[in-house]
Amino acid sequence: MTVPTPPGAPIRVLIADDQDMVRTGFRFFLDAQPDITVVAEAADGEEAVALARRERPDVCLLDIRMPKLDGLEATRLLAGPEVADPMRVVVVTTFDLDEYVYGALRGGACGFLLKDSGPTLLAEAVRAAAAGDSLVSPSVTVRLLKHITAPQTVSAAPAPAKPAPPSEPLTDRELDVVRLVALGRTNAEIAAELYVSLSTVKTHLSSVQLKLSARNRVEIAAWAWQHGYGQPGT
């Protein structure tokens, strides 16, 4: 698997979107970050896959709807289960649709953001992906989890895989973090609400992810909702 970005090295990012203005906006903001640099841009999915395989960026930002090859298929080719050396992909899209979220996560994406999430969350998603973590737009997380825990119909889109039972009990503080993840809070918001450092939140999340055998933040939150920790005050 791709090793984490060495400390001090800038996070190398590929941006793939069929709209010039979106690519320009993302590049302008990300290149302004001291720890991030954009190394490639693509206007369609085929070009994105080719550039990613050639440049080996730390993080690929992929739009969903692109010519020649859509973002979900590009994600599968770059980060899917069959890829020997998967890359870190964050899907960034205008379309807040269940099937896109499921498809992105099943295809190996480690993040899913809506384009109106704002530049700060975009940079946070890039940093999380580069560190081997995941970030999903809070608004998507909460709505998606309500769907996961609702009775499923035959025509409903398949939900992400449910995490296995904990390998050992979660601590009280870990449960506090899990509750806030289930409510769609970002790491920074969790740190503020619990009066702890950001690094402490990340440590708790890593421990929780290990105990639950969860692949990403959505699966942690899914476990919380399935076990009654997904409502305020629980």
Side-chain angles (χ1 to χ4, degrees), residues 2 10 24-25 44 55 60 83 101-102 108-109 115 148 154 173 185 190 225:
T2 304
T24 299
D44 63 68
E55 299 293 336
C60 301
V83 179
V101 183
Y102 300 143
K115 288 181 181 177
I148 290 173
V154 174
R173 188 51 112 186
R185 304 292 196 271
I190 292 172
W225 279 69

Side-chain angles (χ1 to χ4, degrees), residues 57-154:
D58 300 305
V59 180
C60 301
L61 296 177
L62 303 183
D63 187 23
I64 292 275
R65 294 188 178 180
M66 293 188 291
K68 298 183 180 181
L69 194 68
D70 68 36
L72 298 183
E73 181 62 15
T75 297
R76 186 186 67 80
L77 291 173
L78 296 174
E82 72 284 356
V83 179
D85 188 13
M87 299 186 198
R88 299 184 181 110
V89 174
V90 176
V91 172
V92 187
T93 181
T94 305
F95 305 100
D96 182 12
L97 300 176
D98 287 342
E99 56 264 34
Y100 288 162
V101 183
Y102 300 143
L105 296 177
R106 286 199 306 270
C110 61
F112 189 99
L113 289 179
L114 300 181
K115 288 181 181 177
D116 62 2
S117 296
T120 300
L121 204 58
L122 176 65
E124 187 175 340
V126 167
R127 294 184 181 109
D133 298 328
S134 62
L135 188 149
V136 178
S137 285
S139 61
V140 173
T141 300
V142 173
R143 183 184 51 74
L144 177 61
L145 293 172
K146 289 178 180 177
H147 177 79
I148 290 173
T149 55
Q152 298 293 306
T153 63
V154 174

Side-chain angles (χ1 to χ4, degrees), residues 17 28 32 36 59 74-75 78 104 115 136 168 178 197 207 217 223 225:
D17 196 291
F28 178 81
I36 299 173
V59 180
T75 297
L78 296 174
K115 288 181 181 177
V136 178
E168 60 180 282
V178 165
S197 68
S207 176
R217 196 181 193 90
W223 180 90
W225 279 69

